[in-house]
Amino acid sequence: MIKGTAASDGIGIGKVLVIEEHSLEYTPRTITDTEAETERFNGAVKEFIENTEAQAEALRKSAGDKEAEIMTGHITMINDPYLRGEIEALIKGGQCAESALETMCDMFIQMFSAADDEMMKQRAADVRDIKTGVLSILLGIKEVKVSEAPAGTVLVARELTPSVTAGINKDNIVGIITETGGKTSHSAILARALEIPAVLSVPDAASLFKNDQCVIVDGSSGEVIADPDEEQTNVYTKKRSDFIAERKELEKFRGVSTKSASGEEYELVCNIGKPADAVKAMECDGEGVGLFRTEFLFMDRTAMPTEEEQFEAYKKAALIVKGKPLIIRTLDIGGDKDIPYMGLAKEENPFMGFRAIRYCLKNRDMFKVQIRAILRASAFGDVRIMFPLVTCVDEVRDGKALVEECKAELRAENAEFNEKIPVGIMVETAAAAVLADVLAKESDFFSIGTNDLTGYTMACDRGNSDVSYLYSALQPSVLRMIKRTIECGRAEGIPVGMCGEAAANPQMIPLLMSFGLTEFSVSAPSVLKVRKCISKWTKQEADEVCAKVMSLATEKEADEYLSKVCVR
């Protein structure tokens, strides 16, 4: 059995097709007719865009609009004036088109790869895909076609790029195995959209597996079994049948309200990163948006988005959710999210440094542009403002004062907005959790960010393998922080939600129900699973489980106990 990263749920049993990568080696040469070389480069880009548009259309039909945007994003990237301009400048300086393209793409790949944020790392994969696509055209190499793969095929590749994935016939591909990629990579996103089981980050997969070799892909556990025996095949065939039956069972929870077995109602909303994600949230039966991560509007650009650009993005999301809640988190940069044109200084410990609400309050003009855009969008739906990384009352008061200042400006301009727009905060620091009773008096709502709250409370970096064993929302100290935050919010009569990964964890759900959480904000594909999980618990049962867990002394004890009682 071989272990990788579980990236797309389900069981796939089939025969291997290894996608072999063509050599893209070339001999750099000095160009004298730079005008002809520039024309050759632009011709290759034109062909690349045409190919990509066709791939986007194929993805739109097989997976959906959101997934097609991955491909159209490649077109936006290659058309970036800075990137194109610098490549053409290198060609005019005497470099061949291949060398100029590679030089600039490698620069961006190195920059994005150096980031700690997984979404930024994904940009590096996008640039690699673009470089490969344009370079292949320049060198006259034909792209790999997976559309001709026979039924029952398990694709194996070093990296399954969006351009290759776009050609997948989901009726014929039963599994995907790659050497690279994580749960948030485009390979994973596309595999989930196509509902194909996938295991990523399997070392040396492209050389480990051979064409026509029989394999089992368990995309739920991240395991791959090569050359399974009859008993293993029978076991996993049943698992596959059970998985398909469970997926059908989940459809019963579409279009119904989110209720516990004893009748308590909850709000089940989604986390998104851009307006198009709101479409997926609604398709997956989300009851609104609990977290709109606006920093992704600021990335992949060479300059700050204007007020009008931001307004259109927020307005679009508000119209998509059609009157359901849309909680927009103000810009959260710093830490693992660096945006080069903002000129953030290098810090020894950026997670403890000049980031999120701290940065925004010191850059008031930039912050006002965003707040004005959100306020204007509030005329088109139930839009709410949320400040990230709050640690003290002053930050909330200063942020709210800026909101009032923007309201006054918009009134003077006769612009429409919601005068009573709710303004809340993210509770994701130990300071905010300890001060929750005071902060609740200053806020219209709380949203608990368990990812950062766990890291800050336990003083551990989940990306550091030496201390990652400490990173768990089931740590007694973290549970107490969460419980206190919810109790303080309820005491002041404000709603308390959660937008961290713990909100979708079946082990956490009865605890959160008992604590009194009112809103669960999860990834769109998790909506029906979470709704089903909530429906299985009565408030009394959740209270009994919670009382036991809160009496335990260690994370291990809590995990072992919950592993038994949460199998329902």
Side-chain angles (χ1 to χ4, degrees), residues 361-439:
L361 288 173
K362 290 283 187 180
N363 292 270
R364 292 172 63 87
D365 290 342
M366 177 276 298
F367 199 19
K368 282 179 65 176
V369 167
Q370 181 172 42
I371 291 173
R372 281 173 56 93
I374 297 172
L375 284 170
R376 289 172 58 198
S378 71
F380 297 88
D382 183 6
V383 175
R384 308 170 192 181
I385 298 173
M386 181 162 67
F387 299 139
L389 205 78
V390 166
T391 55
C392 59
V393 169
D394 290 338
E395 290 167 340
V396 183
R397 290 177 178 171
D398 289 350
K400 287 167 68 178
L402 210 59
V403 171
E404 292 304 318
E405 189 177 317
C406 291
K407 283 182 180 179
E409 291 177 1
L410 292 173
R411 280 190 213 102
E413 297 167 17
N414 292 319
E416 292 185 11
F417 63 92
N418 178 10
E419 286 279 3
K420 295 182 179 180
I421 187 170
V423 179
I425 68 166
M426 284 198 70
V427 177
E428 52 188 332
T429 64
V434 170
L435 199 62
D437 55 332
V438 180
L439 290 169

Side-chain angles (χ1 to χ4, degrees), residues 142-182:
K142 297 297 181 184
E143 288 189 350
V144 177
K145 287 191 175 182
V146 299
S147 57
E148 299 168 2
T153 293
V154 174
L155 290 181
V156 178
R158 191 189 71 78
E159 178 179 33
L160 197 62
T161 63
S163 57
V164 172
T165 313
I168 285 177
N169 178 345
K170 63 180 179 181
D171 293 329
N172 291 349
I173 307 302
V174 297
I176 293 170
I177 305 169
T178 69
E179 293 181 7
T180 63

Side-chain angles (χ1 to χ4, degrees), residues 338-373:
D338 183 24
I339 300 176
Y341 64 78
M342 285 190 168
L344 284 168
K346 278 286 181 185
E347 297 178 279
E348 285 190 17
N349 192 346
F351 285 95
M352 301 286 185
F354 190 46
R355 57 171 296 206
I357 191 68
R358 303 167 181 181
Y359 176 89
C360 290
L361 288 173
K362 290 283 187 180
N363 292 270
R364 292 172 63 87
D365 290 342
M366 177 276 298
F367 199 19
K368 282 179 65 176
V369 167
Q370 181 172 42
I371 291 173
R372 281 173 56 93

Side-chain angles (χ1 to χ4, degrees), residues 110-128:
Q110 186 177 5
M111 179 180 73
F112 288 137
S113 297
D116 293 324
D117 180 63
E118 187 61 36
M119 296 298 289
M120 291 295 282
K121 287 182 186 293
Q122 183 54 50
R123 300 301 186 275
D126 290 338
V127 178
R128 272 196 298 272

Side-chain angles (χ1 to χ4, degrees), residues 263-333:
E264 290 82 10
E265 289 203 25
Y266 299 87
E267 201 168 45
L268 183 54
V269 291
C270 297
N271 304 327
I272 69 171
K274 53 186 182 294
D277 294 346
V279 175
K280 187 70 172 178
M282 296 300 99
E283 289 174 350
C284 291
D285 209 33
E287 298 165 21
V289 170
L291 171 64
F292 185 160
R293 301 180 180 95
T294 59
E295 55 271 17
F296 297 116
L297 299 176
F298 290 71
M299 294 176 177
D300 294 340
R301 307 172 54 100
T302 54
M304 193 96 58
T306 65
E307 179 181 326
E308 204 60 31
E309 287 175 315
Q310 292 189 59
F311 162 65
E312 288 296 337
Y314 307 145
K315 173 186 170 183
K316 182 178 180 182
L319 292 173
I320 290 169
V321 301
K322 296 179 180 176
K324 295 176 180 177
L326 175 69
I327 298 177
I328 300 178
R329 182 176 69 185
T330 58
L331 184 61
D332 184 8
I333 58 161

